[in-house]
Structures are given as structure tokens and as C-alpha cells.
Amino acid sequence: MANDSNPVSQAFELQRQALERSQKAMQQGIEFQQRLNEAMLSGAEGGAEATERGSEMTREAIHSTLDTIEGMVPDGETDFDQIRDAIDQQFDAAEEATQQANEQAIEFTEAGFENAESAAESYVESVDQQVEQLRQAHEDLEEQTLSFLEQTEEQLEKLQQETDGTPFDGFEQLQTQMEELRERLSQ
């Protein structure tokens, strides 16, 4: 890069900084999405555990109720063991089905998040490569622009010297256009 105090160089540097900030913001957005996905997965796993605890508490409450009822009913009138077994079978079947559904949902969610993360990583790599190419092209353009301006100014000075300082037709207009070009490039 040429002179950093040159307005043209400063304009190019500001453009590069904007490009870098945009790239960083995109990467931060993807990282945020990955953290959000991890939190969602953790929440799903926590929800499955809460469901299991709730089911076990309900089973224990029903057993406690049966124990209380059994204490009030005369012996032998009702087979509470059979009732408990039937309840346990229903809870076991429901818990197994719920557990399988939760495992499948978590596996599916994990696979989806892994695919999304892999795609995001590929996307970031691609964008990083494209940004680097753009940055290099941008630096080349800056060098070419500065070189062009410098050569043009040198030619104008040489031309003015060759005419013994007497401005030729259009010299002042050309000088004004060069100043305007510098101003536009420095904005």
C-alpha cells in the first residue's frame, strides 16, 4: 500500500475495513446460530429427562394411592398386585415409546445440526477465500489508481515545464478535473 496519509489510500483502507467488519459479523452470526442449536439440543435432552421424571413421579403417586386404598379394603377382596402389575406394564410401555421417540428426535436433531454446521463451515471457508481474493484485487486496484494519479500529475507538471509555465489550452481544466478526481476518491 502507498502513502497512508494520501486521501485515496485512506479511502481504500476504509473500504477494506468495512469488508473485514462485514466478514467478522457474518462469522459471528454463524457462531451464534451454532450456540443456539446447541442450546436447543440441550433443551430437548432436558425435556426428555423431565418427561421421564414426571412419568416416574406419576407412577409412584399411583402406587401410593393404591397402597392407601389397599390398607382400607379387607384382605383378599381385591388383587392389588395385579392392578400394580397392569399399571407398571402401561407405564413401562409408555416410557419405552417415549424414550424411543425422544432418542429418535434427538438423533434427528443432532444430525440436522451437524449437517447445518458442516454447511456453515463450508460456506465460511468459501466466503473467506472470496474475501481474500477481493482484498487482493482491491489492493491491486489501489496501487494502480495511485500509480495512475501519480503518473498523470507528473505528466502535467512536465507539460507545464515544457511550456515554460505558460498554461496551455485546457491545462487549468485538466488540473481541476484531477483535483475533483482526487476528492471523489478520498470520499
Side-chain angles (χ1 to χ4, degrees):
M1 186 166 38
N3 185 356
D4 286 342
S5 64
N6 181 325
V8 174
S9 294
Q10 290 173 354
F12 277 95
E13 181 59 28
L14 288 173
Q15 291 172 347
R16 277 191 290 277
Q17 289 174 2
L19 179 64
E20 289 169 4
R21 283 191 299 271
S22 296
Q23 182 182 15
K24 189 174 277 188
M26 182 212 45
Q27 289 171 337
Q28 289 173 343
I30 289 173
E31 289 169 4
F32 173 77
Q33 183 63 47
Q34 289 171 337
R35 287 191 305 272
L36 181 62
N37 290 349
E38 290 169 5
M40 289 174 55
L41 183 58
S42 178
E45 290 169 345
E49 290 173 11
T51 300
E52 289 176 24
R53 285 193 303 273
S55 176
E56 194 56 40
M57 288 173 52
T58 303
R59 182 194 304 230
E60 289 173 9
I62 291 173
H63 278 285
S64 292
T65 303
L66 283 175
D67 290 345
T68 303
I69 294 172
E70 185 177 23
M72 294 189 289
V73 174
D75 285 341
E77 286 193 22
T78 306
D79 188 1
F80 284 95
D81 289 334
Q82 188 178 10
I83 295 172
R84 281 188 191 90
D85 287 342
I87 290 171
D88 286 341
Q89 286 176 2
Q90 293 300 313
F91 270 96
D92 290 343
E95 286 173 0
E96 185 178 330
T98 301
Q99 186 178 20
Q100 286 177 354
N102 286 338
E103 286 174 2
Q104 288 176 347
I106 289 171
E107 286 174 13
F108 180 74
T109 303
E110 285 175 338
F113 288 161
E114 287 172 7
N115 289 339
E117 189 172 316
S118 176
E121 287 173 5
S122 294
Y123 176 73
V124 167
E125 286 175 16
S126 174
V127 168
D128 286 347
Q129 290 172 355
Q130 292 173 7
V131 166
E132 184 56 34
Q133 290 172 352
L134 179 60
R135 188 177 298 128
Q136 288 174 356
H138 192 263
E139 287 174 1
D140 291 345
L141 177 62
E142 176 185 12
E143 287 177 22
Q144 291 171 6
T145 301
L146 291 172
S147 176
F148 169 77
L149 288 174
E150 189 175 304
Q151 289 173 4
T152 304
E153 287 174 342
E154 288 172 5
Q155 289 175 357
L156 284 175
E157 288 173 10
K158 185 177 178 182
L159 190 58
Q160 188 175 17
Q161 289 172 355
E162 288 175 358
T163 61
D164 297 326
T166 308
F168 59 90
D169 287 341
F171 176 77
E172 289 176 4
Q173 181 183 2
L174 187 56
Q175 211 170 20
T176 303
Q177 288 176 347
M178 286 297 295
E179 288 173 16
E180 289 174 359
L181 177 61
R182 262 194 194 280
E183 286 178 24
R184 277 188 270 160
L185 290 173
S186 68
Q187 293 177 353

